[in-house]
Amino acid sequence: MRSKATLKQIAKELGVSVSTVSKALNGSPEISEPTKQRVQEYAKLKNYKPNVIGLNLKNRNTKTIGVIIPNILISFFAKVFSGIEKVADEKGYKVITCISNESSEKEINALEILSNGTIDGFILSIAEESQKLQKFDHFTTIINEGTPIVMFDRIADEVNCDKVIVDDFESAVNATEHLIKTGCKKIALLSASDNLSVGKLRVQGFFKAMENNGLKADENLVILTNNNDEFNSKIDDFFIKNKPDGIFALDEHASVTAMKLGIRNGYKIPQELSIIGFADGLWSRRMTPSLSTVSQHAPEIGEVAAKLLIDKLESSEETFTFTTTTIKTELRQRDSTRKL
């Protein structure tokens, strides 16, 4: 996506005022025909589009929000969507949903298709490929065109917009310290999402908690992979080679797989092996024993994101500040961890 010029940039390049550029683009009789032509041709060359969010945000009345999520199979995103839809319905907005399937190209296409006047703003979580490539220009372009974006969970610090997150680092510290307090000393760290920003923060939290409690992480007990298939291949003989007494798993696939293999290899849970997973999916409650998890309060994330976006869309302000809202997590203790 080509970056689009702003009024200020056009004015600077042509050596005129922002007011002159604005009037020339709007065909004002105050501006001479040669200047109008010069400005309009240059604006077309630079792919200029007016910033609707600043000029006429109140009058954008499609009353429709675009939601782009990376993976429909992850229950967390479905729960976030339920929160978005709840608030949208209460406020009289419709919702159009697209799935990026972790593809940067599909993410870009969804933004381009929906930002042609179909929707008023976006709520989204960044695709795995975009995070891996650190490719975020397409978000900035959409925002510069006048379409507001609220990011949740997977965000980009480089993009200036509203964001809704959980404190992945602090949540990981708390979960690891819970295992330590229940007597675990040989704690394994397992992840199938190490290439995601949230995954990296959780890893940092784990190592910080170990350090804070005077424990050294055993590198043989650390499996950090980028996808489920890679994780499955590395954990296959994990319990044969190692004897952990605790596991902190950074995503649902890693936690469910680890528990199944632990039981298969004869561990009594939680007497001999305690497990805490991240993300409170259906599997967590349905497994036997039930899995202790860090709950991200996904519906609340969706509700907050929707309120932030709708507040922007219905505001009469011409300039905006952007906020990052942090939702508190909760450690839900079930049968896979010993009680304090």
Side-chain angles (χ1 to χ4, degrees):
M1 295 174 68
R2 281 193 295 159
S3 61
K4 297 174 176 61
T6 64
L7 289 177
K8 189 174 180 180
Q9 290 168 341
I10 295 172
K12 183 179 180 182
E13 291 293 326
L14 297 181
V16 297
S17 69
V18 172
S19 176
T20 296
V21 172
S22 178
K23 289 177 181 178
L25 291 173
N26 287 305
S28 171
E30 299 177 37
I31 307 300
S32 68
E33 286 304 319
T35 301
K36 281 184 194 176
Q37 185 176 353
R38 181 167 165 248
V39 170
Q40 289 171 2
E41 287 178 354
Y42 188 81
K44 185 177 181 180
L45 176 68
K46 293 297 182 180
N47 203 22
Y48 169 78
K49 286 186 180 180
N51 188 336
V52 183
I53 195 171
L55 297 176
N56 199 23
L57 191 55
K58 279 190 74 177
N59 294 327
R60 300 187 69 192
N61 55 5
T62 70
K63 300 284 281 188
T64 304
I65 293 169
V67 178
I68 304 177
I69 59 178
N71 191 331
I72 194 63
L73 298 178
I74 297 177
S75 61
F76 167 76
F77 292 117
K79 290 179 180 180
V80 172
F81 179 76
S82 71
I84 294 171
E85 191 171 50
K86 175 177 179 288
V87 172
D89 186 59
E90 290 171 353
K91 299 286 187 178
Y93 281 76
K94 301 181 289 294
V95 178
I96 295 177
T97 310
C98 292
I99 315 300
S100 69
N101 279 329
E102 307 293 7
S103 163
S104 183
E105 182 180 358
K106 288 183 178 180
E107 187 173 70
I108 290 170
N109 289 340
L111 285 167
E112 289 182 334
I113 290 168
L114 294 180
S115 63
N116 65 359
T118 303
I119 55 92
D120 294 340
F122 287 101
I123 299 172
L124 59 88
S125 187
I126 299 176
E128 176 184 325
E129 187 179 23
S130 295
Q131 288 207 315
K132 183 178 179 180
L133 299 173
Q134 291 291 288
K135 187 176 180 180
F136 308 127
D137 288 350
H138 46 296
F139 303 122
T140 303
T141 298
I142 293 296
I143 293 168
N144 288 343
E145 289 178 2
T147 304
I149 289 176
V150 176
M151 293 181 173
F152 70 91
D153 190 48
R154 305 182 197 170
I155 64 170
D157 292 333
E158 298 88 337
V159 180
N160 196 19
C161 66
D162 289 311
K163 302 174 178 94
V164 185
I165 60 172
V166 300
D167 193 337
D168 288 282
F169 175 86
E170 196 62 37
S171 300
V173 170
N174 293 338
T176 306
E177 288 188 340
H178 181 83
L179 289 172
I180 294 169
K181 288 174 183 175
T182 58
C184 298
K185 290 182 171 57
K186 296 182 64 178
I187 303 173
L189 176 66
L190 308 179
S191 174
S193 55
D194 192 49
N195 53 334
L196 301 177
S197 57
V198 292
K200 293 183 185 302
L201 287 168
R202 294 167 194 172
V203 169
Q204 293 170 16
F206 168 81
F207 283 108
K208 183 62 176 176
M210 295 290 280
E211 179 187 334
N212 288 347
N213 287 272
L215 297 176
K216 184 175 176 58
D218 183 346
E219 62 180 22
N220 294 318
L221 299 180
V222 176
I223 297 179
L224 303 179
T225 64
N226 294 335
N227 57 66
N228 294 350
D229 290 339
E230 184 185 358
F231 179 81
N232 292 344
S233 66
K234 288 195 173 184
I235 199 174
D236 190 48
D237 59 354
F238 178 78
F239 289 101
I240 298 172
K241 295 179 178 179
N242 303 286
K243 300 294 179 184
D245 57 13
I247 290 175
F248 180 38
L250 307 189
D251 51 82
E252 188 171 41
H253 178 80
S255 58
V256 170
T257 303
M259 179 176 281
K260 286 181 176 178
L261 285 178
I263 293 171
R264 188 181 302 168
N265 282 274
Y267 281 86
K268 294 179 181 178
I269 298 174
Q271 295 91 336
E272 298 172 338
L273 179 68
S274 290
I275 303 175
I276 294 178
F278 215 107
D280 194 34
L282 289 175
W283 279 105
S284 305
R285 297 183 294 278
R286 291 180 177 177
M287 293 190 74
T288 304
S290 57
L291 181 64
S292 296
T293 58
V294 177
S295 172
Q296 298 158 285
H297 297 299
E300 185 181 351
I301 292 174
E303 291 178 23
V304 171
K307 287 173 184 175
L308 282 169
L309 180 59
I310 292 171
D311 284 348
K312 283 282 193 300
L313 295 171
E314 297 185 347
S315 172
S316 60
E317 298 294 323
E318 293 188 4
T319 58
F320 297 102
T321 56
F322 300 102
T323 61
T324 297
T325 304
T326 303
I327 306 298
K328 290 290 185 183
T329 61
E330 175 188 356
L331 178 58
R332 293 186 172 168
Q333 298 181 53
R334 298 191 177 95
D335 296 334
S336 67
T337 47
R338 294 189 291 273
K339 307 301 180 186
L340 285 175

